[in-house]
Amino acid sequence: MTDNLITTPFGAQTTAAGVLDGVDLSGKRALVTGGASGIGRETARVLAAVGAEVTIGVRDLAAGTLAAEEIAPVSGPGTVRTAMLDLADQTSVRAFVADWRGPLHILVLNAGVMASPLRRTKEGWEMQFATNHLGHFALATGLHSALTAAHGARVVAVSSVGHVNGDVLFDDINFEQHPYDPWAAYSQSKTANVLFAVEASRRWASDLIAVNALNPGRITSTRLGRHIGDISNSPTSFDPTSTDVSWKDIEQGAATSALLAASPLAEGATGRYFEDCNEAGPHQPGVRRGVAAHALNPQHAARLWQVSLDMLAAAATTA
């Protein structure tokens, strides 16, 4: 991140539709993971509304198909289709990548799980890291040639202010030695999203692929918080009276994703972290805003990239 932060006329209360007002995505193809509900669905809707051909990758095809059908009548000139994609299942990710044809102009890595009880994939990977980071890493790297073919693709990684709570636990990513803490696991997965953007932006610059990460804000009424339960067991910033985060509805929560995916105001931005439709400044202790230094660490970003490749390679040999 540079000292010259990117700013826009938009803010915490701007909606995704407002961000893309006047934008024309005719002829562009987009993929949004977790597009059956929440801010993923709204992101898919507004991209289609301004002309994009949108695919929503979902674990539940029935829910995805219903979402696509409900979006379609109001999607404007664009289209919405559904495809099976389970980010916690590398076989599913590989199948999705193998089936993709043609260029991909916009990739929104939106799906995620938050503060879930300890669960592991068949590879033994901790579920939040496997879903939020590894699944998206495998998807994005697998679709690299499609992104390159777009000649100016944008990749958007939906992170969280939760990343400020901790770095990637490189010595025990899967919590095999440390006691499992659902919030620590969530934090490392969200830090990983930012580190992915940092390293991918470096590696893919010559391919004209821009990669950025974002904090969407605290969104009301989505399924992401289904594992939280009693609010008293959650961080204080989950209290609606907290001033540390921007509380938003779904239309506002999708705005920063839409900005990075398609707004001309984000043209040229890469390897950066945004919140409330503007590039975030450094995180300040005690305030749950901004981007933590550990999430922008280029050495950690390069290390995570290699660790991720190694984990995926090991999984492929046993598949």
Side-chain angles (χ1 to χ4, degrees):
M1 188 173 69
T2 68
D3 293 332
N4 299 317
L5 300 180
I6 295 173
T7 61
T8 77
F10 307 128
Q13 305 309 307
T14 307
T15 65
V19 164
L20 296 188
D21 185 30
V23 172
D24 183 4
L25 294 182
S26 299
K28 305 293 186 183
R29 305 175 73 211
L31 166 61
V32 180
T33 67
S37 63
I39 64 172
R41 172 175 166 151
E42 179 63 8
T43 302
R45 187 190 71 78
V46 297
L47 292 175
V50 294
E53 175 192 317
V54 182
T55 298
I56 55 175
V58 295
R59 288 185 305 161
D60 185 336
L61 273 179
T65 300
L66 178 61
E69 291 173 348
E70 290 176 346
I71 292 171
V74 292
S75 63
T79 60
V80 183
R81 74 178 189 93
T82 306
M84 178 65 191
L85 177 61
D86 184 348
L87 293 164
D89 181 348
Q90 285 297 312
T91 300
S92 175
V93 176
R94 288 192 293 268
F96 183 95
V97 168
D99 287 343
W100 187 268
R101 297 292 183 272
L104 175 60
H105 302 85
I106 298 167
L107 172 58
V108 183
L109 307 175
N110 167 85
V113 60
M114 179 172 70
S116 62
L118 178 59
R119 292 184 293 152
R120 299 189 183 278
T121 66
K122 64 183 180 181
E123 295 88 0
W125 300 336
E126 187 277 318
M127 186 62 73
Q128 294 188 77
F129 187 81
T131 303
N132 298 348
H133 170 64
L134 280 175
H136 280 138
F137 179 86
L139 179 68
T141 54
L143 292 172
H144 176 259
S145 60
L147 293 165
T148 301
H151 304 293
R154 296 191 189 186
V155 179
V156 181
V158 179
S159 180
S160 165
V161 70
H163 85 273
V164 305
N165 288 351
D167 203 347
V168 174
L169 303 175
F170 284 105
D171 65 334
D172 191 21
I173 283 175
N174 291 307
F175 288 85
E176 295 168 326
Q177 308 301 323
H178 293 72
Y180 179 72
D181 180 330
W183 289 109
Y186 179 68
S187 295
Q188 85 155 352
S189 73
K190 295 289 100 178
T191 290
N193 293 153
V194 189
L195 290 172
F196 164 76
V198 170
E199 182 66 5
S201 69
R202 183 187 71 81
R203 288 174 175 258
W204 296 349
S206 62
D207 301 314
L208 305 181
I209 301 171
V211 190
N212 293 286
L214 68 101
N215 164 29
R218 188 75 67 236
I219 317 303
T220 58
S221 304
T222 74
R223 297 186 67 248
L224 181 63
R226 62 190 179 277
H227 295 298
I228 295 177
D230 184 353
I231 198 75
S232 65
N233 296 324
S234 308
T236 56
S237 61
F238 279 77
D239 186 328
T241 63
S242 171
T243 58
D244 286 348
V245 294
S246 297
W247 284 80
K248 305 177 182 182
D249 60 26
I250 288 174
E251 290 77 11
Q252 296 163 343
T256 309
S257 294
L259 177 93
L260 293 175
S263 172
L265 297 178
E267 187 69 37
T270 191
R272 300 173 184 244
Y273 175 91
F274 284 68
E275 61 188 3
D276 297 342
C277 295
N278 290 273
E279 186 178 359
H283 171 249
Q284 302 298 323
V287 180
R288 292 180 64 78
R289 297 185 65 81
V291 60
H294 62 250
L296 298 177
N297 185 307
Q299 289 76 36
H300 288 196
R303 182 180 182 185
L304 177 64
W305 192 280
Q306 188 58 54
V307 167
S308 302
L309 288 176
D310 292 345
M311 293 176 73
L312 294 178
T317 61
T318 59

